[in-house]
Amino acid sequence: MVIKFYNTLSRKKEIFKPVENKKVRMYSCGPTVYDYIHIGNLRAYVFSDILRKYLEYSGYTVKKIVNITDVGHLTQEEIEYGIDKMEKAAKRENKDVWDIAEFYTEAFKKDCERMNIKEAYKLPRATEHIKEMIKLVEKLIEKKYAYVSNGSVYFDVHKFKNYGKLSGNTIEKLEAGKGGRVKHNPDKKSQLDFALWIKDKNHIMKWKSPWSVGYPGWHLECSAMSMKYLGETIDIHTGGEDNIFPHHESEIAQSEAANGKKFVKYWMHVRHLLVEGEKMSKSLGNFYTLQDLIDKGHSPKAVRYLMMSAHYRKPLNFTMEGLENSKITLDRMLEFMEKLGEVDGKKNPKVKDLIENVKNEFKEAMNDDLNTPIALSAIHDFISKINKLIDEKNVCKDDAKKINKIMQDFDKILGVLKIDKIKVPKEIKELLHKRKLARKNKDFKKSDNIREKIRNLGWEVQDTEKGQKLIKRI
Ligand code: AMP
Ligand code: ZN
């Protein structure tokens, strides 16, 4: 079975074949660390995690780099209007800009961990790679793809003949649609040229360069760090759909102009997480952080499940109802896993066939451009069929182990089936005790009320033969 991925560059599904047999070099655009990330960003990171884990499941080794943008994530508009996200955050929190970067980098790592996102091989910071970026700019100037003007350096988009090949925003189209809020910059040969180095001796984060004291352009960091850690041609580069233009288009221009080689074989972009039809974003204020959802009693695993329930190339509308439904579905899977530990029926040859089937269906769906919703529905179908066999006492202990094994294999990618062991707070322990007494006294109304209280605090109580069972699924 071959793996096929949709390549934004060719606008079609292509058979995946890395540069080097069985070794995948992958780069994912990471966060700008001026605030907590929101779950829209997390959709992009969960997608690249599923991608990475599926490749590993399929026998590849994956070297994944995720950058930390701690300087220079400025659109042309922001550069011209002097809005710097990092500087704004430092003012807002009355902190040093370096502390801001450190704090939100750690917060990002924590969110990824809670979402079961496997850590990248490296999380390089833009500010630690200024030397590499300056070298790259020097190379571009030398090759006449870039020019110095009044201390800043710009990439000459007219010199790069393939500009626009990723996004379809060709120079002709861009020329035709010029305007908007972007000010006329007399230093640029063409207003479409983008900044590689920005002269600004007053910028909050600044460095010396051969051209001026200033800071690097945003697109530059990803080209420089991708080359440093993964080489001149890499297999996969991911990001959200908003990264296609100008960010990735400019990355291609800089990297291919400098090296004269293909920069990325497969460009993969995840569609946006929406709220009421609009992109979830900081600027629109329509966002949730992971912590917001945890505070409302939701588990990161349910968030992860929700994200997998839609194909990554389809927009996903975020609603609380959708999240609740994901939790219900996930609970059903967890109950199934528990039930497996208790089966004791007779052996039935159907089980083996069902295992073989689900494995094939899962792979077929994932090979087809990571179709997680189809893969999940194959698993649910499998669960229903096995549940029926369990009820008929047609699953033996040995087969239950095999079923468990295949589910664990799937979970290497899905990452939602492990219930984390968490310390139970004293308050919950006390409520549990009160509920136990209420049940002993057959005061079921009181017992239900206490269960509701416990639920509101983010825990579930189940009554089993062995007594009350407490679950917190985070
Ligand atoms: P930023 O910090 O804005 O550069 O975003 C980090 C990553 O999250 C980028 O790959 C963005 O494309 C992606 N992203 C931002 N907002 C969303 C969203 N609402 N849905 C999906 N991905 C997003
Ligand atoms: Zn990037």
Side-chain angles (χ1 to χ4, degrees), residues 137 141 146-155 185-191 193 195-200 211-212:
V137 178
I141 295 174
Y147 58 93
V148 187
S149 178
N150 195 18
S152 290
V153 187
Y154 298 97
F155 188 92
N185 179 344
D187 294 344
K188 287 185 185 179
K189 286 191 197 165
S190 157
Q191 293 306 302
D193 295 346
L196 297 169
W197 186 265
I198 300 125
K199 172 179 153 181
D200 186 352
W211 318 288
S212 62

Side-chain angles (χ1 to χ4, degrees), residues 25 223 225-234 259 263:
R25 297 181 182 87
S223 290
M225 296 196 283
S226 179
M227 279 175 213
K228 173 164 178 176
Y229 295 105
L230 300 172
E232 292 177 351
T233 302
I234 70 165
N259 299 327
F263 175 44

Side-chain angles (χ1 to χ4, degrees), residues 29-32 38 40-41 43-45 73 239-240 242-243 271-273 279-280:
C29 284
T32 310
H38 55 69
N41 302 124
R43 184 179 194 200
Y45 306 133
H73 180 171
D242 57 322
N243 280 161
R271 297 293 299 271
H272 283 148
L273 186 70
K279 177 189 171 192
M280 179 178 285

Side-chain angles (χ1 to χ4, degrees), residues 27-30 67 69 218-219 221-222 237-238 243 247-248 251:
Y27 188 99
S28 300
C29 284
N67 63 296
T69 302
W218 165 40
H219 317 309
E221 64 167 291
C222 288
H237 193 125
T238 72
N243 280 161
H247 189 47
H248 290 163
E251 279 187 41

Side-chain angles (χ1 to χ4, degrees), residues 113-263:
E113 202 184 307
R114 295 195 283 192
M115 288 292 282
N116 223 340
I117 294 172
K118 189 167 169 183
E119 197 169 315
Y121 170 77
K122 217 171 172 63
L123 296 162
R125 292 163 197 236
T127 52
E128 288 171 5
H129 295 80
I130 303 293
K131 223 172 58 206
E132 286 82 353
M133 292 188 231
I134 290 177
K135 270 209 176 115
L136 185 55
V137 178
E138 282 177 328
K139 202 165 168 184
L140 289 168
I141 295 174
E142 201 183 294
K143 292 194 161 190
K144 310 226 175 327
Y145 281 104
Y147 58 93
V148 187
S149 178
N150 195 18
S152 290
V153 187
Y154 298 97
F155 188 92
D156 187 342
V157 294
H158 286 84
K159 289 265 168 70
F160 186 70
K161 72 173 184 339
N162 280 328
Y163 195 76
K165 71 176 172 181
L166 182 73
S167 61
N169 285 325
T170 55
I171 292 180
E172 297 72 46
K173 282 192 199 162
L174 289 167
E175 295 273 15
K178 254 187 337 217
R181 268 189 73 199
V182 179
K183 275 192 216 162
H184 181 85
N185 179 344
D187 294 344
K188 287 185 185 179
K189 286 191 197 165
S190 157
Q191 293 306 302
L192 302 179
D193 295 346
F194 59 87
L196 297 169
W197 186 265
I198 300 125
K199 172 179 153 181
D200 186 352
K201 66 175 178 359
N202 297 320
H203 194 258
I204 194 154
M205 291 162 125
K206 54 180 180 282
W207 292 265
K208 276 191 194 146
S209 79
W211 318 288
S212 62
V213 171
Y215 62 96
W218 165 40
H219 317 309
L220 192 65
E221 64 167 291
C222 288
S223 290
M225 296 196 283
S226 179
M227 279 175 213
K228 173 164 178 176
Y229 295 105
L230 300 172
E232 292 177 351
T233 302
I234 70 165
D235 299 300
I236 304 177
H237 193 125
T238 72
E241 59 178 315
D242 57 322
N243 280 161
I244 299 173
F245 188 84
H247 189 47
H248 290 163
E249 192 71 68
S250 307
E251 279 187 41
I252 294 179
Q254 299 159 158
S255 312
E256 298 194 353
N259 299 327
K261 280 187 194 155
K262 195 178 187 75
F263 175 44

